[in-house]
Amino acid sequence: MHTTYAANTGVEFTYDEKSYIINGKRVFLNSAAIHYFRMPKEEWREVLVKAKLAGMNCIDTYFAWNVHEPNEGDWNFEGDADCGAFLDLCAELGLWVIARPGPFICAEWDFGGFPWWLSLKEGVKFREYNETYLKYVDLYFDRITEIIRQRQLSQGGTVILVQVENEYGYLTDDASASAYMSHLRDGLLSCGIDMPLITCVGGVEGAIEGANFWSGADHHYANLVKKQPDTPKIVTEFWSGWFEHWGAPAATQKTPQLYEKRMFEAIQTGFTGISHYMFFGGTNFAGYGGRTVGSSDIFMVTSYDYDAPLNEYGRTTPKYMAAKRFSLFVEAAGSLLLDSESFDTAGIAAPEDITVRGRRNGEQRILFVGSVKEERETVYLTLENGRTLPVMVNPGEIVPVLDGLQLLDGVRLISNTAIACNEVVNGIHTLIVYAKDGQRSLVELNADEVIQYADDQPILHAQSADGRTITFDFYHFNEPQDVRLIIGGQELRVIVLNTTAMDQTWRIAKGQWFGGCFDVDIEAGGQLVASVNASVSAVEWPEDFRVERDSSETTGQPVGAVKLKAPKLAGWVTSTLDLASVQGVSCEVPQDFSSFSQPYGYIVYSSLIESDSDKQTTLILPKLQDTARVYVNGAEIGLIREVGSSSIEIPLHKGSNNVQILVQNMGRLNFSPYLGEPKGLFDTGYVQGTATDIRSGWSHGEETVHLDRVNTLDGQATLSRTFQVDGHDRAVLVGAVSVPLRINGKEVPLEGYQNWFAHHSVDISAYIQPGDNVIEMPYAKSPVNRLELLTYHSSNAIGAWSMAGLADGVPSEAGVSASSTTESKKGPAWHRCEFAKPELPADVHAKLKLRLTGLSKGSVWLNGIDLGRYWQIGPQEDYKLPLDWLKDVNELVLFDEEGRSPAKAKLLFDEQSNRRWTTIEG
């Protein structure tokens, strides 16, 4: 047992190797990852309440440094950035908190949470023991820990754990990280953090380490046991879904069924805490969407829905229901599960393709039965005592089988399906068992005294001769069944549900349950409201579980659906950007966004190129980290998507040519050894270059390998390829290079690079020679989406440039022509319109979104608030418009890079907006 922390309220918090313990009771730490900075403050309560209603007892949140210090010394802890108020709300709702102040948070968030201006500090190196970097980290800690410290459990709040840094083990081992991580640990301690410290993926002495994963629970559990045998094992990030990036498939591969299976894998292994990352993802408003490694252009979409249990709009999903069912099971079986140990199930006979894992607490056991069969099947397990149990299990599913779970003193349960309630409800100890629609289940009660079946429902059952064992053969109907038993003077109630009914059953608090609701909310005054459908409410739920519509309501509307009409977007006014008139700041070499003192938005880079004839030439941009739209003499030539180092064919006419490059900051790296990369264009361009796709023509012995095709080479196989530079003196290799990389026999240093990053821009000019050159590198994977050789001559550098920023969505008067047409314009344009705030019935909880059909790529503003980037290449189609940000009359502004017509843009309500809500009596 480890140190106990006592709050002013008398709450005690401690832990041992099995679990965390609060007030002497073992607690499964069921944590919902929710970031306060990814939604309006007005939505916090609804999202947190939804998490609590799903059985979450804890909230996990990052703190985003760049939100709180957007400009150096300009601190912001107000409004949507009032993280102290967020922690206070968690406490008000009775939710524990895992605080993760960083300073690095990853989170697919711009720059991993670092403020943009930090990259301008001379000599700064991020996430290292670097004097400059740590100076500013310490200043940040001074401010953020002041908010966390006073809300710790030790001070009467609900913060129970505080994380040191984030996933540092992905960069290096603990020994190499020691100086840096120890500094951060000591910084938190010196600032008054006295609750236990934790880490995830990599550790530091004095902190409890957790694991981040989606699958492979056994592997991660074994690693933690080896490193820290005396601490609880929690999944600090259990990846419920995944992020999405522009132009990629929708990240919906983690189905609700697989999510449920992975949760059971975690507890069968021995984890007694799961932080669902994300439980609610939210939105990357403004320019806060980040960028990650794996290709040249993995930029985050504006939505951070994450395919999470609560979607971007705070709506429940099938994953939410899976999380709720799992949470209720863990709560109901917690007395067994949290003080259990794994045991050898070799003595249990099971069919082929059926796995059986087990955990026991004394005579109580849980068997986790899994199937790799191709179809659902009822399989049979023979226990060590010869008892044979049927278990219905779907392919890829894990079903918990309870063997001897103690319900009451002297009353034990055997069940071949999950349970969701094991507590006193309305004065009666109540057991809820559920299974899939139309499934049968075996539920057996064994007692020290005679069991009296005190019900006249015709439920198929058998009772032993001594009356102390009763076995039910339940059929899980749409209609709930309510079975009453008397055991030694104690009343026991068994409610039998199918999964559909289970998902409409809610535990508001211990002992407070009701059913028949699609969705539930608890308003600020404590009043319960629910979404109830007429056909569902007609089901005969047990009387004390039944939802009654509040008789005080005066709307007169029937319970059911309502059709909402979203405001129409019309009367658009278009302001076209006249590129030829753009006046910028002169510079010899283009500057990146930060050096230009512009954190986000757009920059127009302009230069004049003289040509001695009409011709096509290859423009090389060796240092470009964002998408770029290229114009020559006012005409758009193309959009560069593959960044790092890039090229594009451009036409030049004889004489002077105005070349302009419109660059949008698409987000800084949120994870990489190369954090703080310059954004935009930060070197001059070069004409008369050459761009060669070099994914083909690699040699491996006698074999020719094409990296754009599937190959099955050993990962250590060395590939080689020759190339020529055609009289050029500069060369850049960009794309999926692998290390070690050699050019003409000399190794090119790539510090920190890992082959799975699959993207690097490497200047190899110092290694090239006239004639044949040889590249050598190991085979990493194939196919790869990019590997190019860009060559050019330093004498063909473009001369002076000018730069003009387009940061705030409001065009300056210069260089803009206005019209009231919605016809498509050639070139970038702003589109504006106004719409009235929709009038909504009092009994709906509507959510509004914007669909941008017909537009190209750009940014959206609502009443001057930057809603983020859009790009109509998928997978995101709709963009969130928080109703709390609406006024009576609202201004919507779109900046579209191609100036396409907004005529088809429209507002919609999400599909759950049509549900009516009712106040619940009592």
Side-chain angles (χ1 to χ4, degrees), residues 36-37 41 44 63 67-68 76-89 147 151:
Y36 60 90
F37 47 83
K41 183 177 183 179
W44 290 351
F63 295 76
V67 167
H68 296 301
N76 177 24
F77 293 102
E78 299 178 353
D80 299 339
D82 190 351
C83 53
F86 181 80
L87 298 181
D88 292 340
L89 183 55
I147 292 167
R151 293 169 174 86

Side-chain angles (χ1 to χ4, degrees), residues 312-325:
E312 183 180 6
Y313 299 86
R315 302 297 200 185
T316 60
T317 69
K319 276 187 179 175
Y320 178 91
M321 297 306 171
K324 179 161 76 79
R325 292 192 302 268

